[in-house]
Amino acid sequence: MSGRLETPPAGLALLGTLLIALTLAALALHVPGADTVGTPLRAQVFVGVLAISVAVYFLAVRRVLRTPCRRAVWFVIAIAVLLRLLLLPSVPFLSSDIYRYVWDGQVQAAGINPYRHVPADPALSFLRDPAVFPLINRADYAHTIYPPAAQLFFAAVGQVTTTVTGMKAAMLLCDGLAIACLLRLLTLSGLPRERVLIYAWNPLVLWSFACDGHVDAVAVGLLALALLARARHRDGLAGAFLAAATLVKFLPIVVAPAFLRGGWLWRQVLTGAAVIAALYLPYLSVGTQVLGFLPAYGAEEGFATGQGFWLLAGLSHLVPLPVSAAWGYALSVGIVFSALSLWIATRHPPTGASVPVTLCRDAGILAACATVAASPHYAWYYAWLALPATVSPSPAVIWLSAAPVLFYIDPFNERFAWPSLVFVPALALALRAGLRDQSVPIAVSPRGAS
């Protein structure tokens, strides 16, 4: 028995080794110097390799859920660290967003409000450098879209380093913070800690944060802190962390109803509002321009016409969409989501070890529903779903947290057919599990596991 506890099961070790090999194979497909994978054929092969990685990941998730092994947690963490170290030195080639992060940090280091000028503005010409400026997307027409908490993070990192690798390393620190919080949440729940694999080995998390350095890692780290604080009944602190996560990337606000269930509403609301006000204050000199590119982003992504939403994009193949289709869709989603939020927020509060599990289950449901409703076509928007799914593993949410690696290519150049490969299975899994009981059984004591 003790020998099995000291070493990971052979099956899990094999799966971890396969993930490493597949990650190296995917990296080898990138053409040095190319700002994407390379040729369209290479991109398709690359996504195929990532899809195989996801399949291996699903097998690993199934392994840790069905056959706990207490000491396997150190093997899981070791593989997670190694995978991140393999991707950290690589040049970001699936997204160029990180160059805007570094640029915004440099702008703030010069004492300039990052919302005031577009990067190509002559007023910022003295900051241009060959390593960052030429690679900024939308440099000639888009003010920065990133909210104040993200900007403060960029500014803080910019005081230490002005390199892309340095920014990626800072993102991985936030990613590591999320893993640490998950380990604590699993302990509070009485669950095997090796389940942290659900987040730590997720291929979409790896490529989004370790390769491309997306700012979503900061939001995930702060949301993990919020979940941990709420699980420990530190309601004011939970509200503060959730507000900060929301001002990194606005989407985390959708999980707020999960925090209100059985909590001190006024503490979370007041502290959250105070944090939001404090974070916006340093940037208000530009007035409404503090929203940056956000108002125009929706139109650019096709949300104004409805073509950016998966469901409406599908309907448009059957019937012409009216001008009001997007508004009607938004209103319908708002009504349904409000009802779901009210149902979650007002249910009987959990107690004891079930608090973190229920909290993460509710947060996972809200996060998945909101993300699918918005149906962004950028893969990294889905990586955050792996966080709540680690403590309350739902097949549908776990699928949504990894399968969007397919979105790194768009072979049909439209928003319905190819995304259906992700959304249709997710809906099938959700229907099969049921909205009220979609978690994998968790009544397993880590102390008796072998």
Side-chain angles (χ1 to χ4, degrees), residues 121 155 183 253 278 375 411 443:
D121 193 303
L183 289 170
I253 191 62
S375 54

Side-chain angles (χ1 to χ4, degrees), residues 63-407:
R63 181 68 176 77
V64 298
L65 290 177
R66 293 196 171 190
T67 312
C69 177
R70 181 161 57 94
R71 290 297 180 90
V73 64
W74 300 113
F75 174 77
V76 167
I77 293 174
I79 294 296
V81 171
L82 180 57
L83 287 167
R84 284 158 173 79
L85 291 178
L86 290 174
L87 292 170
L88 177 60
S90 64
V91 176
F93 60 88
L94 300 173
S95 165
S96 60
D97 287 355
I98 196 170
Y99 296 100
R100 177 65 78 112
Y101 309 162
V102 176
W103 175 262
D104 284 356
Q106 293 176 352
V107 170
Q108 292 179 83
I112 301 172
N113 191 323
Y115 298 100
R116 189 173 298 280
H117 306 287
V118 299
D121 193 303
L124 302 180
S125 59
F126 69 99
L127 292 174
R128 296 175 188 172
D129 68 293
V132 173
F133 177 76
L135 297 172
I136 299 173
N137 58 53
R138 305 180 178 94
D140 57 344
Y141 68 91
H143 291 81
T144 186
I145 194 174
Y146 303 103
Q151 293 297 340
L152 289 174
F153 183 84
F154 302 155
V157 174
Q159 294 297 317
V160 179
T161 175
T162 58
T163 67
V164 169
T165 301
M167 184 64 74
K168 287 172 63 175
M171 297 299 176
L172 284 184
L173 288 177
C174 297
D175 174 59
L177 174 63
I179 291 175
C181 290
L182 285 171
L183 289 170
R184 182 59 183 155
L185 283 165
L186 288 166
T187 300
L188 290 174
S189 306
L191 299 173
R193 294 198 302 163
E194 63 268 23
R195 290 190 181 189
V196 76
L197 175 151
I198 296 172
Y199 174 87
W201 285 18
N202 186 300
L204 184 54
V205 170
L206 290 168
W207 287 92
S208 297
F209 302 159
C211 178
D212 287 340
H214 278 290
V215 73
D216 303 61
V218 183
V220 166
L222 289 168
L223 180 56
L225 285 171
L227 290 169
L228 181 58
R230 180 65 189 87
R232 300 179 65 181
H233 306 287
R234 302 290 297 275
D235 291 348
L237 199 58
F241 283 132
L242 180 58
T246 299
L247 289 196
V248 172
K249 195 146 190 172
F250 294 115
L251 198 52
I253 191 62
V254 302
V255 305
F259 284 73
L260 302 180
R261 183 175 177 182
W264 290 90
L265 173 63
W266 65 271
R267 287 183 183 176
Q268 297 186 66
V269 172
L270 287 179
T271 55
V275 167
I276 290 174
L279 290 173
Y280 265 112
L281 188 60
Y283 301 103
L284 289 179
S285 61
V286 296
T288 57
Q289 198 168 292
V290 75
L291 295 176
F293 186 61
L294 183 63
Y297 178 77
E300 186 175 280
E301 292 299 313
F303 295 141
T305 63
Q307 291 293 333
F309 299 111
W310 171 66
L311 183 59
L312 292 186
L315 289 175
S316 69
H317 290 298
L318 302 176
V319 296
L321 292 180
V323 177
S324 60
W327 286 105
Y329 178 79
L331 179 62
S332 300
V333 168
I335 292 172
V336 173
F337 193 81
S338 296
L340 174 63
S341 299
L342 183 63
W343 176 71
I344 286 177
T346 57
R347 295 187 70 192
H348 189 273
T351 58
S354 65
V355 171
V357 177
T358 303
L359 173 65
C360 289
R361 183 197 64 194
D362 293 345
I365 292 172
L366 291 164
C369 289
T371 306
V372 170
S375 54
H377 68 288
Y378 296 118
W380 54 89
Y381 274 71
Y382 299 83
W384 75 305
L385 299 177
L387 184 73
T390 300
V391 180
S392 181
S394 155
V397 179
I398 292 174
W399 169 268
L400 281 170
S401 74
V405 296
L406 295 176
F407 293 169

